Amino acid sequence: MTGDPNCIFCKILRGEIPSVKIHEDEETLAFMDVMPQSPGHCLVIPKNHAANIFEVSTDDAAILIRATHRLAQAVNTALKPDGVGLYQFNGSAAGQTVFHIHFHVIPRYKDVELVMHARDMVDKSVLQPFAEKIKAALR
Ligand code: 5GP
Ligand code: ZN
């Protein structure tokens, strides 16, 4: 088995729990956040398990930021929001709830507050059209 047996993102990588994927390559996965704080909220992770910025290798950190850069551009092209927030939390005191390093890519709209972090789960049918649009912009 690859990854951490109890990590929810490693379980997504192993296909043990479902996810709405945007893009997968040898080293990273981009997928929709199941509890979006804004429509189109997505996540990008390195395939190698590391809990946070303090654990991740320099190489995997570089791989992660390259994938985040690409995903942020695709979200911007696909959804044309007023802005795009990139968020990354380390430790529960900083707001981290899943301990496999990730960047949030969150479309932002003028004068629209974010929905509370990790609160309301939405259906796959809501997430899929966003994933398709972002996927198309990655090509
Ligand atoms: P953190 O609080 O660690 O920065 O963010 C974890 C994110 O993962 C949250 O935004 C939460 O909604 C999301 N998340 C938690 N469990 C799952 C899951 O099973 N699938 C997906 N796609 N996202 C998840
Ligand atoms: Zn993991």
Side-chain angles (χ1 to χ4, degrees), residues 8-9 12 17-19 31-37 41 43 89 95-99 102 104 117-119:
I8 197 153
F9 288 172
I12 285 176
I17 61 169
S19 65
F31 57 109
M32 301 308 297
D33 194 303
V34 79
M35 291 173 271
Q37 291 186 259
H41 178 175
L43 301 169
F89 307 120
Q96 187 175 14
T97 59
V98 174
F99 297 91
H102 52 280
H104 297 259
H117 190 51
R119 192 186 59 182

Side-chain angles (χ1 to χ4, degrees), residues 6-51:
N6 301 314
C7 168
I8 197 153
F9 288 172
C10 285
K11 287 183 183 175
I12 285 176
L13 286 170
R14 292 193 299 267
E16 292 169 14
I17 61 169
S19 65
V20 176
K21 294 183 181 174
I22 299 166
H23 181 77
E24 183 166 12
D25 60 28
E26 289 266 292
E27 295 157 322
T28 66
L29 174 69
F31 57 109
M32 301 308 297
D33 194 303
V34 79
M35 291 173 271
Q37 291 186 259
S38 167
H41 178 175
C42 46
L43 301 169
V44 57
I45 61 174
K47 288 195 168 175
N48 289 333
H49 178 88

Side-chain angles (χ1 to χ4, degrees), residues 11-131:
K11 287 183 183 175
I12 285 176
L13 286 170
R14 292 193 299 267
E16 292 169 14
I17 61 169
S19 65
V20 176
K21 294 183 181 174
I22 299 166
H23 181 77
E24 183 166 12
D25 60 28
E26 289 266 292
E27 295 157 322
T28 66
L29 174 69
F31 57 109
M32 301 308 297
D33 194 303
V34 79
M35 291 173 271
Q37 291 186 259
S38 167
H41 178 175
C42 46
L43 301 169
V44 57
I45 61 174
K47 288 195 168 175
N48 289 333
H49 178 88
N52 53 39
I53 199 76
F54 311 118
E55 275 192 13
V56 74
S57 69
T58 305
D59 282 351
D60 281 339
I63 284 165
L64 179 58
I65 197 64
R66 288 181 81 88
T68 305
H69 179 228
R70 188 159 176 243
L71 184 62
Q73 288 182 330
V75 166
N76 198 40
T77 302
L79 307 180
K80 299 182 175 50
D82 297 322
V84 175
L86 303 179
Y87 306 88
Q88 196 277 314
F89 307 120
N90 301 286
S92 50
Q96 187 175 14
T97 59
V98 174
F99 297 91
H100 180 130
I101 191 168
H102 52 280
F103 268 93
H104 297 259
V105 177
I106 308 188
R108 298 300 308 264
Y109 297 89
K110 195 171 179 302
D111 300 327
V112 180
E113 293 295 322
L114 290 181
V115 173
M116 232 177 82
H117 190 51
R119 192 186 59 182
D120 300 319
M121 203 173 284
V122 304
D123 198 75
K124 184 180 172 188
S125 62
V126 174
L127 302 176
Q128 197 71 54
F130 286 99

